[in-house]
Structures are given as structure tokens and as C-alpha cells.
Amino acid sequence: MFFLYLITDTATVPPSNFSKNIDKILKVYFNRKYSNKVVINVGLVLFVSEIVKIGKAFVHVGDGSAHINTQFRVVVFRPYSDEIIEGEILDCDPLKGVQISCKFFQDIYIPPKALKKGTKFDETESLWVWHFVPKDPEDVELDPIGGSKSDDDEDDENNSENDESNQETHLLYMEIGRKIRFRVNSIKFKEDLSEEKLIKPIIENNTQQNKQNSSISIENENENEKENEKENEKEKEQNSLIRDPYPKVPLIVFGSVKEDGLGLVEWWADPDEDELLDEENQDNDENEEN
Amino acid sequence: MDLQQRFKQSGMITGFEVSNLITSNRRLRGDKKGKRKITPRNPLDFETYWLEYQLLNYLDEETETYRTRSKMLSFLEKVKKYDLTNGEIIQILDTRPNNLLELYLLLTTRSREKILDQEMLELIDLSKKTYVWTDEDQIKKDKNKKRQKEKENGKGKKKKIENEKEKEKEMEMEIIKDEGENTSENEKN
């Protein structure tokens, strides 16, 4: 998830910062330059960890600041494929799927095809729901159930629905704010999302033709232009949504939740272990107080 | 220079090391120790401070503080017999599995075939030891507290000697006073 990268770059230090503490000045300079920025084919640069080499300072004609060639190490967030990451659910969308945030990075999506078998979008609550049907009685041991107290009301509602149906379907909601575990499928940098360049010029040519074909009077022209614009916008939206519903962001991570053990962390936690963890937390709190 | 020449990969890091780097950077800057959220004086530094705050929240700083370098090194030595890849070891340390299922997800197909269920349970116990609060940690913490108190109260070795010298001087002064009183009484008598 986190990598170290060695970067070579030149820093321009103004004469007001000429002092003995070059390390601090260079760290601050490169933090301002690189932190929270995505470098294509590298990843999201987080912060500078250390400075390795400081080269000679060159001063150019007409410029009083010193140009120093430095080598320094930087922590980069770069998830690789088949890695397992935990995050929180941010949003559910019928086209995009589930959006997840690891608090410092929020462009993680699980497309609808990569969700578990039997997940459907509930429009009343605008959440994705996993309709889980245990196949064999042996599978009941692996039966994932949301064990937190806040889910009690929903479980009661679900149980009332289950009594009516012959098969026991458990409705497991992917609620916003819950912890989720997923596997990384692929990462895409902005250069890979360049398919839209082929679509854009076609739509622009259509708008120009429609403008030329508009009627003579001013009011009619306005009405026709508005209608044509609306039609073109609809076409644009449809085309863009079909090809690429995801936002144009320099780094997108796509994940999947299909395997056993992936999905909300609650679904797979043993109830005995939850009690043990609570006891450990209480003991630790008592030790800290003492 | 090409991108490949300017950016060279140095290796993978655990979340423990990232949180340590953040705390050391803050210490060098002179920021307060306990606070997580710090506002920078210069708005150009906002993104680094914001990232550090979000990273500490995400990495769950409290469990990372229970970890020490010695615990992690002992874990790495004990794990060598299972012949895991670097990515698997780092994922085990980051995600902290509690189950067989959670461990099974992290492993590659090669190690899934090699490692038995009992060995997987041993792996889980080894990983738990790195972040569990033990009695030894409590003893070390109490020792550190005592040392800090002694420094504040001034009961170090040098100050002990100084205190003893002061006490001797006071004793001498009292003796001189007593002798003076005795002589004055004798004179009166």
C-alpha cells in the first residue's frame, strides 16, 4: 500500500532562507511541491521522509536564489492488484457502484459487476443490498450476520419478510460509514481514461451543424437552440455514462468484493471474538488509567 | 530527465513505519506531542498537515503505539520459516487478521497450498503479539514514569550529593548555634 520512492529534483531557495538548516528548508520546499499530488504511473505522493543527497548550489545570472540539486525519499500511496484494503463506505450509486474512502484518499470504486452475487440496488434507501441465500444447512456456520446493535431493527424487519418466503434470504445492507474489506482489481491513471477524446469531436460537430440549420427569426432561433442543446446534452450524458460513469480523476482504484471474507467486516466477524476484543479494550483502558 | 530516472522505487513500508515517520517529522518541527490535528502557520503547508492528520486516523495510531521496533523484528525472524513473500508479511502487519478466513485472503496460491491450518493459527498468534499490550510493556512504562518524576523532583545522583552537603552544612550550623547558646548560658552563670 505504501512505497518509498527516491526522487531527484532541483530546489530554488531564495536568499531570505539562506541559513544553516538546509534540511528543514528543503523538506518544507518539497513537501509543498509534492504532497497530496498524484504522479502518473507512480501514485499519490504523501510526504517527504528524509533527504539523502544535497548537491552543490548554483546561482544563475540575474537571479539571486540558489538552485540545489537534491535526492530525497518520499512515501507514496500505491495500491497494487490483489491487495486487500480496508476502508469506509462513502456512497452508493446504481451506475458507479460503491464508493469507498480510506480517509486520505477517496476515489475508490467497486463497480456493480464486481459486487457479490445477488446484490441489488434498493431505491427507497438508495443502498446496495446483498440478498444472501444459504444453500446447504452446513453453510449456516459461515452465515454472515450483521451483529451490531443498530442492525437489530433491520433484522427484525428482514425476519418478518423471511417468514413469508420459503427460502431464507438475509438482506444485508451496505450502509454508509461501515468498514468494508475489498480486493484491488486495477488502478487507472488519467492517461488511461483518454477514450473520451474520441467521442468529444463527434458531438461538437453535431452542435455546429445544428446551429447552421437553425431558423431565421430570433425567437425561433432561441427555441431551436435550446432544444438542440438539450438533445445534445442528453446524448452526451448517455454516451458518457455508458462509456465512463466515473469522474475524471488522476488516480482511480477499482476493487471487487466477490470472494468469501470480503465485504463489510461485520458480516464475517465471529461474535465470540467481538466479546474478546471488547474485554481486551476494557483491560487496556484500565491499565492506562493506572 | 525521464520519469523513470527521477522516480525510483526503494521498497515497501508498513503502516507502523509511516506513523513513526509522521510523529518524528512533527517532533522535528516542534509541534505538540499529543495533538493529532494541527493547523499550519503558512497556508501553503496545509496539504501536508491535512494528510498527516488523515493518515494517523486511518492507521489507528493507538494500536501502532503498542508496537515497538523490537517486537516487529522478532516477528520477522519467526516468520522466516513459513517462506512468505514481502507483500504477504506487510499485509499481515497492516490488516491484523483475527481469523483463518482473513489470513487466507492475504496469502498467495503458492503459500495457501504449502501452509497448514495449524501453522496459519500460529501466524495469527505471532501477529497478535506485535500489538498486544503485555505486562512487560506496563513495567517499562512505569519505569519511564518513575524516571521522569525523579528528574522533576531532583533526586538524581548529582543532586543527591548536593542535598547531602546541604544537610551537613545545616547540621554544622545547628551545632554552632547550640555551642553558642551554651557559651552564652555559661557566661551568664
Side-chain angles (χ1 to χ4, degrees):
Chain A
M1 195 160 39
F2 298 110
F3 283 85
L4 275 179
Y5 272 79
L6 230 196
I7 301 180
T8 52
D9 199 2
T10 52
T12 52
V13 180
S16 55
N17 283 339
F18 287 170
S19 68
K20 293 178 185 177
N21 223 343
I22 293 174
D23 264 352
K24 268 190 186 178
I25 290 162
L26 290 171
K27 262 192 184 179
V28 167
Y29 180 85
F30 288 117
N31 267 326
R32 286 178 189 176
K33 188 174 179 182
Y34 282 103
S35 68
N36 207 22
K37 303 241 161 76
V38 173
V39 181
I40 289 171
N41 296 330
V42 170
L44 173 72
V45 177
L46 296 175
F47 57 91
V48 172
S49 68
E50 63 175 350
I51 289 174
V52 175
K53 254 194 203 178
I54 302 174
K56 291 181 184 177
F58 290 98
V59 179
H60 298 295
V61 174
D63 185 13
S65 53
H67 299 261
I68 308 172
N69 195 15
T70 50
Q71 271 188 357
F72 54 98
R73 251 185 220 119
V74 131
V75 179
V76 171
F77 172 70
R78 197 222 165 98
Y80 54 91
S81 59
D82 294 337
E83 189 187 3
I84 288 182
I85 299 179
E86 282 189 15
E88 284 182 6
I89 295 179
L90 242 192
D91 193 23
C92 290
D93 196 63
L95 284 167
K96 294 181 192 175
V98 179
Q99 189 180 0
I100 296 171
S101 89
C102 307
K103 297 171 184 177
F104 56 93
F105 183 72
Q106 294 182 348
D107 292 317
I108 301 172
Y109 292 94
I110 296 177
K113 290 180 184 176
L115 292 167
K116 288 196 189 266
K117 266 188 184 178
T119 43
K120 293 172 189 172
F121 189 73
D122 188 358
E123 289 182 357
T124 52
E125 304 214 17
S126 67
L127 293 174
W128 285 97
V129 186
W130 181 29
H131 298 259
F132 174 68
V133 180
K135 288 177 186 176
D136 297 327
E138 293 176 351
D139 286 342
V140 175
E141 292 179 357
L142 290 174
D143 198 359
I145 297 169
S148 60
K149 289 181 183 177
S150 62
D151 285 334
D152 281 338
D153 295 331
E154 289 178 354
D155 284 336
D156 290 332
E157 290 172 4
N158 296 334
N159 285 326
S160 64
E161 290 175 357
N162 291 333
D163 289 330
E164 296 173 358
S165 60
N166 291 324
Q167 289 178 345
E168 294 180 358
T169 54
H170 296 272
L171 293 177
L172 300 166
Y173 285 85
M174 303 180 82
E175 293 181 353
I176 290 168
R178 302 281 178 166
K179 274 192 182 178
I180 184 169
R181 198 185 295 133
F182 64 97
R183 193 184 281 274
V184 175
N185 260 349
S186 64
I187 310 170
K188 279 192 179 174
F189 293 98
K190 200 173 186 182
E191 287 176 345
D192 295 336
L193 302 170
S194 61
E195 290 178 0
E196 284 195 29
K197 286 181 186 175
L198 296 169
I199 300 167
K200 272 183 185 176
I202 296 167
I203 294 169
E204 285 175 359
N205 287 328
N206 281 330
T207 55
Q208 288 174 3
Q209 286 173 4
N210 285 323
K211 281 181 184 175
Q212 289 173 2
N213 293 328
S214 62
S215 59
I216 297 165
S217 64
I218 296 167
E219 294 177 353
N220 288 329
E221 279 181 357
N222 289 326
E223 288 175 359
N224 282 327
E225 281 178 358
K226 284 180 185 175
E227 288 174 358
N228 288 327
E229 284 175 0
K230 284 181 186 176
E231 287 175 359
N232 289 327
E233 283 175 1
K234 283 182 185 176
E235 285 178 3
K236 277 186 190 177
E237 286 177 7
Q238 287 173 4
N239 285 330
S240 62
L241 287 172
I242 290 164
R243 307 288 176 106
D244 196 13
Y246 301 105
K248 296 180 207 172
V249 178
L251 216 204
I252 288 187
V253 177
F254 291 109
S256 83
V257 172
K258 278 198 168 177
E259 298 174 29
D260 285 336
L262 298 176
L264 297 202
V265 174
E266 301 169 338
W267 294 348
W268 305 100
D270 295 333
D272 295 332
E273 286 182 356
D274 287 335
E275 290 172 356
L276 285 173
L277 284 172
D278 290 332
E279 287 175 1
E280 284 179 3
N281 287 328
Q282 287 175 5
D283 291 337
N284 288 330
D285 291 333
E286 289 172 358
N287 286 326
E288 286 177 359
E289 287 172 4
N290 292 330
Chain B
M1 252 202 216
D2 288 331
L3 242 186
Q4 290 174 357
Q5 291 175 3
R6 281 179 57 198
F7 290 85
K8 278 186 192 172
Q9 201 180 89
S10 299
M12 250 182 112
I13 302 187
T14 57
F16 167 70
E17 293 173 86
V18 174
S19 60
N20 273 356
L21 278 171
I22 291 170
T23 48
S24 66
N25 279 339
R26 283 187 163 183
R27 212 187 303 140
L28 290 171
R29 250 184 264 144
D31 294 326
K32 285 185 184 177
K33 196 182 174 185
K35 272 190 178 180
R36 273 193 197 177
K37 196 170 190 181
I38 299 171
T39 47
R41 288 177 194 172
N42 196 331
L44 289 170
D45 295 328
F46 174 73
E47 296 194 352
T48 46
Y49 281 74
W50 179 84
L51 263 179
E52 288 177 359
Y53 168 64
Q54 297 291 351
L55 276 168
L56 288 176
N57 276 336
Y58 176 73
L59 294 169
D60 199 0
E61 191 192 351
E62 294 174 2
T63 51
E64 300 293 343
T65 51
Y66 299 158
R67 281 181 165 161
T68 58
R69 204 179 151 72
S70 56
K71 282 183 189 175
M72 302 284 268
L73 288 171
S74 65
F75 174 80
L76 288 173
E77 285 177 4
K78 288 174 189 173
V79 154
K80 278 181 186 175
K81 61 177 179 178
Y82 299 109
D83 200 19
L84 298 169
T85 60
N86 281 336
E88 288 172 342
I89 295 171
I90 286 172
Q91 278 191 72
I92 289 169
L93 289 170
D94 280 341
T95 55
R96 297 181 220 117
N98 295 314
N99 285 337
L100 275 177
L101 225 196
E102 294 178 16
L103 224 200
Y104 190 77
L105 284 170
L106 303 172
L107 299 174
T108 56
T109 49
R110 189 192 66 137
S111 45
R112 278 179 194 176
E113 291 164 4
K114 270 192 185 179
I115 298 174
L116 306 167
D117 285 345
Q118 287 180 354
E119 293 176 337
M120 285 196 196
L121 289 171
E122 290 174 1
L123 256 180
I124 291 168
D125 289 332
L126 279 175
S127 73
K128 278 186 181 176
K129 281 181 185 174
T130 57
Y131 64 89
V132 167
W133 190 255
T134 57
D135 293 332
E136 292 176 353
D137 295 325
Q138 190 64 41
I139 292 166
K140 280 183 186 176
K141 198 178 177 182
D142 292 337
K143 273 188 186 176
N144 285 330
K145 274 189 179 178
K146 280 186 185 176
R147 277 184 204 165
Q148 284 177 1
K149 282 184 182 176
E150 287 173 1
K151 279 183 184 178
E152 289 170 5
N153 292 333
K155 287 185 181 177
K157 281 186 182 177
K158 289 184 182 176
K159 295 195 175 176
K160 267 189 186 175
I161 297 166
E162 289 176 357
N163 287 333
E164 289 175 356
K165 284 184 181 175
E166 287 177 358
K167 283 182 183 175
E168 288 176 357
K169 284 181 184 176
E170 287 174 3
M171 295 280 281
E172 289 175 357
M173 294 293 283
E174 287 177 0
I175 292 164
I176 292 164
K177 279 184 188 175
D178 291 336
E179 288 177 354
E181 288 174 357
N182 287 328
T183 52
S184 63
E185 288 175 356
N186 288 324
E187 287 175 356
K188 284 180 184 176
N189 292 330

